[in-house]
């Protein structure tokens, strides 16, 4: 059943139990028609003829006398969610609805839910035990603030639609207050710590994944979704520092229920679904899908050291393929298990955790390496747009506000620069340029020219110092 445009209106035709002839209704907008279709389907499913039968005026769908939050969220997901969300958002929202909303408010009539009710509900959630995902250890954690934020955003949007659909006169979530929370900054490695980690690591695929995250600012899903047709490395390109890779997909594990629901709506967007390795029924599927945003599709220049590591990895992979023969399933992936199947993000995360513990390094998660990469590149060149091109963000402020991190050494260098270029120069307009420098007797004209250039461009000098520290 789909809306059909009839003149300036949208028509739907359906059958009702106990009626011989089809029922025809028309609506002013396609959204109203789609809402009516979802309502009819739910009415048939519940065997509630009051939801199936049209009103006498047919100007708007018949509203039930009482609609619970559970019923509202079912309609909201069916009408809005399946037409708007991707598989991750759909799975996440359905999980939060099932575990964190319905047990507390699911049976409440939405017209009785007040802003005060939501304030008390959010306050209570922060002390409730979080649901433990399958395959994860139970660490006794409570529901995190970020989860409560997502629940609030979900309810606010759902209540907004309830107002549009004339279930409510006002949205109770508009003025709800979330619990107070002090966010913690993400732990990231300094360039020195990141370089030391790469040098210490001799475990694959962890080392190459780290090199790509630090050198190319890639997400783990993008790294593990790389295929060889997206890698362009030749000796000629490396000689010109022009080796490149193309990011156009990511590896992800998705819930089958979400994939099936989106497929039924015609909104499924995956490039390839990997066959299951186990004979037992699975609730999830590993897929290759387009990146999260259009700006994430990008070309990235590969540092030559990383390019050389990729070529070495390719040579080892080809040897393994030749040795295994038919036992190796070739999906053309850069990162594979011994049988050719994909390497998952959780496996790399576990490798990194074990590596950090073994070498007593400062604990970070894998995504922190992308943050370290951005901070390092900004310190080296200061070109925000160039760094944004590597990260794939649609807005430059994401690079500076979220991903750029400072460390004590950077701030110490800044204090030295302020001392030299301001206090020691009498706050002149161009302090470094006006400073006189004593030329050493054995100093060549070329060296003197380079030193003068660095003294007049403190940003260039700071960037070169950072590069030297990373190479040491």
């Amino acid at each position: 059943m789909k809306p059909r445009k009839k003149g300036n209106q949208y028509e739907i035709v359906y059958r009702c139990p106990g009626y011989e002839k089809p029922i025809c209704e028309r609506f002013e907008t396609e959204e109203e028609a789609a809402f009516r279709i979802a309502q009819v389907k739910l009415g048939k499913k519940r065997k509630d003829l009051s939801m199936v039968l049209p009103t006498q005026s047919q100007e708007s769908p018949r509203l039930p006398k009482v609609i619970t939050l559970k019923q509202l969220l079912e309609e909201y997901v069916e009408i809005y969610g399946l037409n708007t969300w991707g598989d991750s958002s759909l799975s996440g929202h359905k999980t939060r609805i099932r575990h964190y909303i319905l047990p507390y408010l699911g049976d409440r009539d939405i017209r009785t839910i007040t802003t005060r009710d939501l304030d008390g509900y959010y306050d209570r959630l922060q002390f409730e035990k979080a649901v433990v995902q399958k395959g994860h250890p139970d660490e006794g954690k409570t529901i995190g603030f970020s989860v409560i934020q997502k629940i609030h955003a979900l309810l606010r949007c759902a209540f907004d639609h309830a107002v549009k659909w004339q279930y409510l006169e006002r949205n109770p979530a508009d003025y709800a207050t979330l619990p107070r929370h002090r966010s913690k900054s993400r732990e990231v490695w300094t360039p020195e710590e990141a370089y030391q980690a790469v040098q210490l690591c001799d475990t694959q695929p962890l080392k190459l994944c780290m090199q790509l995250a630090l050198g190319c600012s890639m997400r783990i899903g993008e790294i593990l979704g790389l295929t060889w047709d997206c890698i362009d490395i030749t000796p000629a390109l490396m000689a010109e520092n022009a080796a490149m890779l193309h990011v156009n997909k990511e590896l992800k594990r998705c819930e089958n229920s979400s994939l099936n629901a989106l497929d039924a709506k015609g909104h499924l967007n995956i490039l390839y679904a990997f066959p299951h390795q186990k004979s037992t029924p699975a609730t999830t599927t590993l897929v290759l899908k387009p990146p999260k945003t259009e700006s994430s599709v990008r070309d990235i220049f590969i540092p030559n050291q990383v390019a050389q590591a990729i070529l070495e990895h390719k040579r080892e992979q080809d040897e393994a393929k030749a040795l295994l023969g038919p036992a190796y399933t070739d999906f053309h992936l850069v990162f594979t298990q011994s049988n050719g199947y994909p390497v998952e993000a959780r496996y790399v995360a576990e490798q990194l955790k074990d590596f950090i513990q073994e070498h007593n390094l400062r604990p970070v998660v894998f995504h922190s390496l992308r943050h370290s990469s951005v901070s390092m590149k900004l310190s080296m060149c200061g070109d925000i747009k160039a760094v944004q091109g590597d990260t794939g963000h649609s807005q430059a402020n994401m690079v500076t506000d979220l991903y750029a991190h400072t460390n004590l050494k950077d701030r110490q260098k800044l204090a030295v620069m302020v001392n030299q270029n301001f206090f020691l120069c009498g706050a002149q307009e161009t302090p470094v340029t006006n400073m006189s420098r004593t030329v050493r007797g054995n100093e060549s004209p070329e060296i003197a020219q380079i030193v003068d250039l660095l003294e007049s461009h403190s940003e260039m000098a700071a960037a070169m110092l950072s590069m030297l520290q990373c190479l040491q």
Side-chain angles (χ1 to χ4, degrees):
M1 182 175 18
K2 293 183 179 180
R4 294 183 297 179
K5 194 164 186 180
K6 296 287 186 178
N8 294 326
Q9 294 184 315
Y10 292 86
E11 180 184 82
I12 65 171
V13 180
Y14 60 93
R15 291 187 175 275
C16 180
Y19 286 75
E20 295 182 0
K21 295 182 179 181
I23 297 175
C24 175
E25 294 186 66
R26 289 192 179 185
F27 301 88
E28 295 298 325
T29 66
E30 189 174 8
E31 185 184 36
E32 290 176 339
F35 170 64
R36 179 64 179 136
I37 289 172
Q39 191 178 50
V40 170
K41 288 181 178 179
L42 282 172
K44 289 182 177 180
K45 183 178 179 181
R46 297 172 182 167
K47 298 181 180 180
D48 183 358
L49 291 183
S50 66
M51 295 182 66
V52 178
L53 291 175
T55 61
Q56 292 181 354
S57 64
Q58 294 187 1
E59 291 180 354
S60 62
R62 180 183 178 89
L63 304 182
K65 292 181 180 180
V66 174
I67 179 168
T68 64
L69 183 57
K70 178 181 179 181
Q71 292 172 319
L72 171 64
L73 291 175
E74 286 176 353
E75 296 177 5
Y76 170 69
V77 171
E78 179 70 24
I79 297 170
Y80 176 79
L82 292 177
N83 292 308
T84 308
W85 301 330
D87 61 275
S88 293
S89 296
L90 180 60
S91 298
H93 287 321
K94 289 173 70 174
T95 297
R96 285 183 279 274
I97 289 171
R98 182 169 64 253
H99 294 297
Y100 299 136
I101 298 179
L102 297 187
Y104 301 91
L105 301 172
D107 294 331
R108 288 278 300 273
D109 182 345
I110 60 172
R111 288 169 291 190
T112 68
I113 297 176
T114 65
T115 300
R116 184 179 181 279
D117 292 333
L118 293 179
D119 286 349
Y121 163 64
Y122 296 147
D123 186 62
R124 177 183 175 183
L125 280 183
Q126 61 183 328
F127 302 105
E128 296 289 321
K129 184 178 178 181
V131 172
V132 180
Q133 297 181 359
K134 186 178 180 180
H136 291 255
D138 186 354
E139 299 177 352
K141 293 183 178 180
T142 56
I143 299 173
F145 180 74
S146 63
V147 175
I148 298 175
Q149 279 185 310
K150 291 174 182 176
I151 291 170
H152 171 63
L154 171 66
L155 287 176
R156 187 171 184 174
C157 191
F159 283 131
D160 269 342
H161 281 77
V163 173
K164 294 178 184 177
W165 297 335
Q166 300 177 9
Y167 283 175
L168 294 173
E169 292 184 359
R170 58 179 294 275
N171 186 339
D174 279 344
Y175 300 101
T177 304
L178 292 174
R180 294 185 62 181
H181 174 73
R182 181 176 293 178
S183 59
K184 297 180 180 179
S185 59
R186 180 184 291 273
E187 287 290 330
V188 300
W189 281 337
T190 63
E192 295 80 12
E193 289 174 313
Y195 179 79
Q196 179 191 17
V198 172
Q199 295 301 112
L200 288 173
C201 186
D202 56 2
T203 305
Q204 294 294 1
L206 177 61
K207 182 169 185 174
L208 187 52
C209 287
M210 291 171 60
Q211 289 173 309
L212 284 167
L214 291 165
C216 300
S217 308
M218 296 173 67
R219 304 176 179 92
I220 185 59
E222 296 169 342
I223 293 172
L224 300 180
L226 274 174
T227 50
W228 287 113
D229 60 311
C230 294
I231 305 288
D232 190 9
I233 303 175
T234 64
L237 289 173
M238 290 179 64
E240 298 177 2
N241 296 309
M244 184 177 290
L245 60 81
H246 181 60
V247 178
N248 61 0
K249 52 188 171 297
E250 62 179 356
L251 183 77
K252 193 169 183 191
R253 182 166 288 281
C254 304
E255 290 188 4
N256 292 340
S257 59
S258 297
L259 296 178
N260 294 335
L262 290 171
D263 191 24
K265 282 281 189 177
H267 298 311
L268 184 61
N269 187 20
I270 64 171
L271 303 173
Y272 182 75
F274 292 94
H276 298 289
Q277 298 187 65
K278 297 181 180 179
S279 57
T280 55
T283 58
T284 60
T285 299
L286 202 58
V287 304
L288 286 176
K289 56 178 294 186
K292 56 193 298 186
T293 60
E294 291 183 4
S295 60
S296 294
V297 178
R298 62 199 187 277
D299 293 321
I300 304 176
F301 287 104
I302 312 172
N304 276 356
Q305 288 293 109
V306 182
Q308 190 62 48
I310 293 174
L311 291 178
E312 177 64 20
H313 174 74
K314 180 71 164 64
R315 182 186 65 77
E316 294 175 357
Q317 188 182 92
D318 288 342
E319 290 177 356
K321 286 164 59 176
L323 184 64
L324 291 170
Y328 187 94
T329 306
D330 194 356
F331 295 105
H332 307 290
L333 291 167
V334 174
F335 292 94
T336 68
Q337 302 177 44
S338 58
N339 60 359
Y341 274 75
V343 174
E344 294 197 51
R346 61 183 180 181
Y347 176 72
V348 177
E350 289 170 0
Q351 277 196 323
L352 178 62
K353 185 177 180 180
D354 293 341
F355 168 72
I356 288 173
Q357 291 178 348
E358 179 184 354
H359 294 280
N360 197 27
L361 301 176
R362 188 152 59 94
V364 297
V365 297
F366 191 87
H367 192 71
S368 297
L369 304 187
R370 179 168 151 93
H371 287 247
S372 296
S373 174
V374 172
S375 300
M376 177 177 61
K377 290 179 178 180
L378 285 174
S379 176
M380 288 179 177
C381 73
D383 190 335
I384 296 174
K385 296 301 291 185
V387 178
Q388 180 189 356
D390 277 3
T391 62
H393 288 113
S394 58
Q395 297 180 349
N397 65 338
M398 283 289 291
V399 173
T400 54
D401 295 347
L402 185 61
Y403 278 82
H405 298 262
T406 58
N407 56 59
L408 292 178
K409 286 191 176 181
D410 288 334
R411 294 166 63 188
Q412 184 180 17
K413 291 176 188 176
L414 183 61
V416 172
M417 291 171 61
V418 170
N419 186 65
Q420 292 178 345
N421 297 345
F422 179 78
F423 290 103
L424 295 182
C425 297
Q428 300 175 27
E429 185 175 356
T430 54
V432 176
T433 305
N434 294 336
M435 287 182 65
S436 58
R437 184 178 65 85
T438 303
V439 179
R440 296 178 182 177
N442 61 346
E443 187 174 83
S444 66
E446 293 82 4
I447 296 295
Q449 185 178 3
I450 292 173
V451 172
D452 289 338
L453 180 64
L454 291 175
E455 286 185 344
S456 61
H457 294 80
S458 56
E459 297 87 356
M460 184 186 301
M464 292 185 67
L465 284 171
S466 297
M467 293 174 64
L468 288 171
Q469 287 176 352
C470 292
L471 292 173
Q472 289 176 352

